[in-house]
Amino acid sequence: MKVIDGVRLVMRKKISAVAFWTIILLVLMAIFAPLIAPYPQEATGTPNLKARLLPPSWEHPFGTDHLGRDVLSRVIYGARTSFVVGFSVVAIALLIGLPLGLISGYLGGKFDMIIMRLTDVFLAFPPLLLALLISSSIGSGMFNAILALAISWWPWYTRLVRGMAISVKQRPYVEAASCMGISQVKIVLRHVLPNSISPMIVQATMDVGSAILEAAALSFLGLGVQAPTPDWGLMISEGKNYFLNYWWYPVFPGIALLVVVVSFNILGDAVREFIDPRLRRRVI
Amino acid sequence: MIEVRELKKYFPVKIGVFKRPIYLKAVDGVSFSVDRAKTLALVGESGSGKTTVGRTVIRLYEPTSGEILFKGENISTMSREEFKSVRTKMQMIYQNPYSSLNPRLTVFKSVAEPLVEHSCAGVRSRVYELLDAVGLSVEHANKYPDELSGGQCQRVAIARALALQPEFLVLDEPTSALDVSVQAQVLNLLIDVQKEKEISYLFISHDLSVVRYLSDRVAIMYLGKIVEIGFTDDIFDDPLHPYTKMLLDSIPVPSPGRKRGRLHIPLGEVASPLNPPTGCKFHPRCPFREKQCVEEEPDLIEVGRGRLVRCHFVTQREV
Amino acid sequence: MNVKLSIRDLFVDFATPLGVAKVLNGVNLDVYQGEVFGVVGETGCGKSVTSMSILRVLPQNAYVRGSIVFEGEELLEKTEEEMREIRGSKISMVFQDPMTSLNPLFKIGEQMIDVVRAHRSVGKREALDMISSLLADVRLSDPSRIVSSYPHELSGGMKQRVMIAMALSLKPSLIIADEPTTALDVTVQRQVLDLILELQEKYGFSVLLITHDLGVVAETCDRVGIMYAGDVVEIAPIEKLFSNPLHPYTRALLSVIPDISGKKRLTPLGGSVPSLLHPPTGCRFHPRCRFLKDVCRQDKPILLEVEDEHFVSCHLYGGR
């Protein structure tokens, strides 16, 4: 029993460390893409028709696509789009969802009812459908993809925060604060908010990965980022036709997607563990 | 200092979409007073309404009816604005020491908050003063609640409550969640603070031995009403109401001599406040029950020096 | 004196993210046939862990060593299969909080029948009869109504009686009651305690009663063990404990309880319960002890019989 327990603990820590550093590395890679990518012009779109569909080699470690562009460079640049979309979606969803959740949970009554019905409405929309609606009305592209996803995402955060806010507002220290004449606003900001966001932080961390995945799905369907912008979903979509004979085309962006999403999930788990025992530091 | 007259607090309970809500009569006509620097204990079991009384007196719940007078002023009808300035003079100490403090704030910040809010000068020194008054040192100031023991957290809560120099404190089972040895420390602290700052206490508890130690007068509550009230020693030495006798007899006494020759064996369980018995609320469990008790609810009648009892049997015997 | 349960040198450590918590530091106690033995202590003294060790229901991160002999057999060497047979039938437990000890989704009758049929191959009819007579034993009128009720339809006191009935269902020889009345109202507490004593006289099982309330102990127990920070510091028959407490901690405990019969200024015990991650060396009580000597810091005192059936673990009385 002793050995297995120890191994588990170490593994857990190692994996979270690995996940954490992977993400950091990838973000840095995205930021410094022009410096890292071997063929930056190709990545952003300049085709090289003489080098079409070449298999992985020293010059092109990930091979080239159907327009001769270096896949490695495109994957590196694709990280930019992915991270921008992922973080933006979560950030916007938080910006909308967090205040609404707090208001809904803390004030209750009519506010709660209205906001909850609102979340019901938005939750009823599958993100894909929403993206379709948006792109058919105001066109497609990265920004619209972000919009579509954020709109379908915020209700989850509202619900999470609301649940916590409801339980936190009943705690004695909140009551004590109102006994001391502290204004409602300050109570919410200083007492309710910090104690309501832990589950949301965990969820948000994991959601960056999920958002990236959903965005890739949108691009795959042609509803998000458009060609020639380098984007993993788009690359998979374009590459799927060439999969049988030129496997490297869709596979490498696919692996990149996998790595990123899994890393965020693991990181989210680690965040949850980190937050929890810290709040209950007493032993037994 | 504090006078409460016929305080009532009813909670509406919905029993169906189309039916009118029925009322949970948590507090059903409670009257008492607490003098300066004195302690009145409210004793009762679950459903007695004692906690609700405590909360309503400082208007954490709005009273359904009745009057609350603080230093002569009627605070039950004041607007929220007017009440704000009075509110700081009335504070509350809670049962669970850990949830009384914001886990994200250090001890210093928790105690400083009321001072900062009311723009007091010299916050830092005042906080240290308060911590010292409750037996904590400067070292504790930078700790978080989860780094402290239950007793220490409760002291911080007391320090915070004292920050605005209150004149009235509602103590809701302040030591029930603490270990016996720590309990004694906190009780002594409360007594010392009361003497020094002349604060009145409303002490809510179910623990009769602690009540005897701390309070000047006791009110026994049952299903929303006071059934007996008087000076502590009088009540403990000579309980009159059958429920009081039952309570006192039920407490396990830490001296093995007193074995199980019980005179007032408790019968049944506390009835639900949603569906109280007719007449005297205690009659289903009362060994002295008579026909009158089932039909007519007794009034709280004075039977001695500062002693009131709500019982047909007792008051008629006295007469 | 027929010894039902014998615990010797029981050490339990918990592996936590913050280090190893040495929760039990060599517990020694015996429970005799047909007696009510109280275990008293404050938070962190290890009383609940002791009971969990007996039933071997400690969490994964617990490391146990020592000896627990029940009816002549070493429990710590038994397989999980064997323990499962013992739990509920030879040794059963009554928990503190009746609200959460019963599954809210199933009727009372179903849960009780489950327990019976886990250990005896009897038909449902038979099991139901057994249960009904048990419910009558615990003074629950109208057993058939109880059997078909859900837990939330019963009050706290009634639920605790059901728990007691369940604990009794297979005629165990030892019942471990972990703070069985702490969550109940005072008057209900009285009823439940009286009930436990009645049943004990009727069926003759031993009771290991865990509590923090010395009053409860005084009125229900035959002998008491006082625990502090993982050690058993004193064991005595009930009258002796109150008339002649020996260990400084016991004396402090007794002087710190508010007295129902009069007002005397309580002299509280200074300091606080030590951390089990970094417990004090030697005698774990030494930082708070008025009678501190050098040896107390170095050597942990042994539990010695000082007078008839009165054991103390303290250097003031030998302890070496």
Side-chain angles (χ1 to χ4, degrees), chain A residues 100 103-117:
Chain A
L100 284 180
I103 295 173
S104 185
Y106 186 72
L107 292 177
K110 290 209 187 73
F111 291 103
D112 190 21
M113 214 168 55
I114 296 175
I115 294 178
M116 279 297 101
R117 296 296 80 81

Side-chain angles (χ1 to χ4, degrees), chain A residues 171-173 175-183 186 190-191 194-195 197-198 278-282, chain B residues 55 58 60 87-88 91-92 94 98-105 113-114 117-118 146-148 160 164:
Chain A
R171 298 210 185 133
Y173 58 83
E175 234 182 55
S178 61
C179 268
M180 294 188 280
I182 301 188
S183 69
K186 282 201 194 136
R190 197 181 301 156
H191 295 287
N195 290 298
I197 54 173
S198 358
R278 212 166 63 103
L279 294 178
R280 274 182 258 131
R281 232 181 306 201
R282 288 175 304 134
Chain B
R55 291 197 135 79
I58 53 176
L60 280 170
R87 185 35 108 58
T88 56
Q91 294 292 320
M92 189 147 157
Y94 300 85
Y98 289 100
S99 45
S100 304
L101 303 174
N102 185 338
R104 304 282 184 168
L105 296 178
E113 189 178 19
E117 181 66 22
H118 292 264
D146 64 342
E147 294 174 297
L148 301 176
R160 181 183 61 187
L164 296 172

